[in-house]
């Protein structure tokens, strides 16, 4: 009876589907999932064959402050629309399937006792948006991987404008903005930490979070993003 009243619908366009949290054929073709050769630190697509230990030129020149990184989607086309629907369109239901996608991508990053930590929002932005999309994704990912999570391990101690410009400008904007939470930050000490964000562009936000986690005593830091904004190759 419930299925008749609330039939399964495509996450992207609303067309009927056979199962919940699915994409119809057209939306699936328009939603680019990452695959093939990827940088093992920032998930940037690379030319050539997939193999362990690949690192892009950017990460060779300036290694990020984390050990490994993964992402699920190219941030374009249907994937971009889905991410923006979660982030700005009140489509919090999307965190369920997206968190499962991220859990599969992050499965090889799991360490004993790992703590899942979302990228924090400043309280002003959280008040306006009413939810932190990274925290929603982290909650589902942690449940799928059976890991502890701490949504307030990090905090934005000052607001920042929307990031723009080159990588240097983005890193400068975030300098000193993110710190271990006075209470929750202690849970990172001596543990492996998996940082969760919705979109990885320059890596400035995740780098600021990783440095804060390191300052709180995290032993090893890995990152997972829902989408990677990057060229195809």
């Amino acid at each position: 009876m419930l299925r008749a009243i609330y039939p399964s619908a495509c996450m992207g366009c609303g067309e009927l589907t056979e199962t919940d949290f699915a994409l119809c054929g057209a939306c699936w073709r328009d939603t680019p999932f990452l695959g093939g050769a990827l940088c093992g630190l920032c998930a940037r697509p690379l030319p050539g064959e997939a193999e362990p230990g690949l690192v892009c030129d950017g990460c060779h020149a300036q290694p990020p402050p984390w050990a490994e990184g993964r992402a699920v989607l190219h941030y374009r086309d249907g994937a971009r629309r889905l991410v923006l629907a979660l982030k700005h369109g009140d489509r919090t239901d999307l965190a369920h399937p997206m968190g499962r996608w991220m859990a599969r991508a992050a499965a090889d990053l799991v360490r004993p006792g790992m703590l899942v930590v979302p990228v924090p929002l400043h309280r002003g932005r959280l008040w306006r948006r009413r939810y932190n999309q990274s925290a929603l994704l982290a909650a589902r990912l942690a449940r799928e991987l059976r890991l502890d999570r701490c949504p307030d391990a990090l905090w934005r101690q000052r607001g920042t404008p929307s990031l723009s410009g080159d990588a240097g400008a983005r890193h400068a904007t975030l300098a000193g903005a993110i710190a271990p939470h006075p209470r929750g930050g202690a849970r990172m000490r001596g543990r492996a930490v998996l940082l969760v964000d919705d979109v990885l562009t320059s890596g400035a936000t995740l780098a600021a979070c990783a440095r804060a986690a390191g300052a709180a005593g995290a032993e090893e830091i890995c990152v997972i993003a829902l989408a990677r904004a990057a060229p195809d190759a």
Side-chain angles (χ1 to χ4, degrees), residues 96 103 116 137-149:
H96 184 282
V116 177
L137 293 169
R140 189 67 210 182
L141 179 149
R143 182 174 179 179
E144 293 286 329
L145 296 177
R146 299 184 180 182
L147 296 174
D148 290 341
R149 67 182 176 94

Side-chain angles (χ1 to χ4, degrees), residues 86 102 116-121 129 131-140 196-199:
L86 169 66
M102 295 174 76
V116 177
V117 174
V119 168
L121 280 181
R129 192 175 296 170
Y131 61 89
N132 177 355
Q133 71 280 355
S134 295
L136 296 179
L137 293 169
R140 189 67 210 182
V196 178
D197 202 4
D198 56 348
V199 181

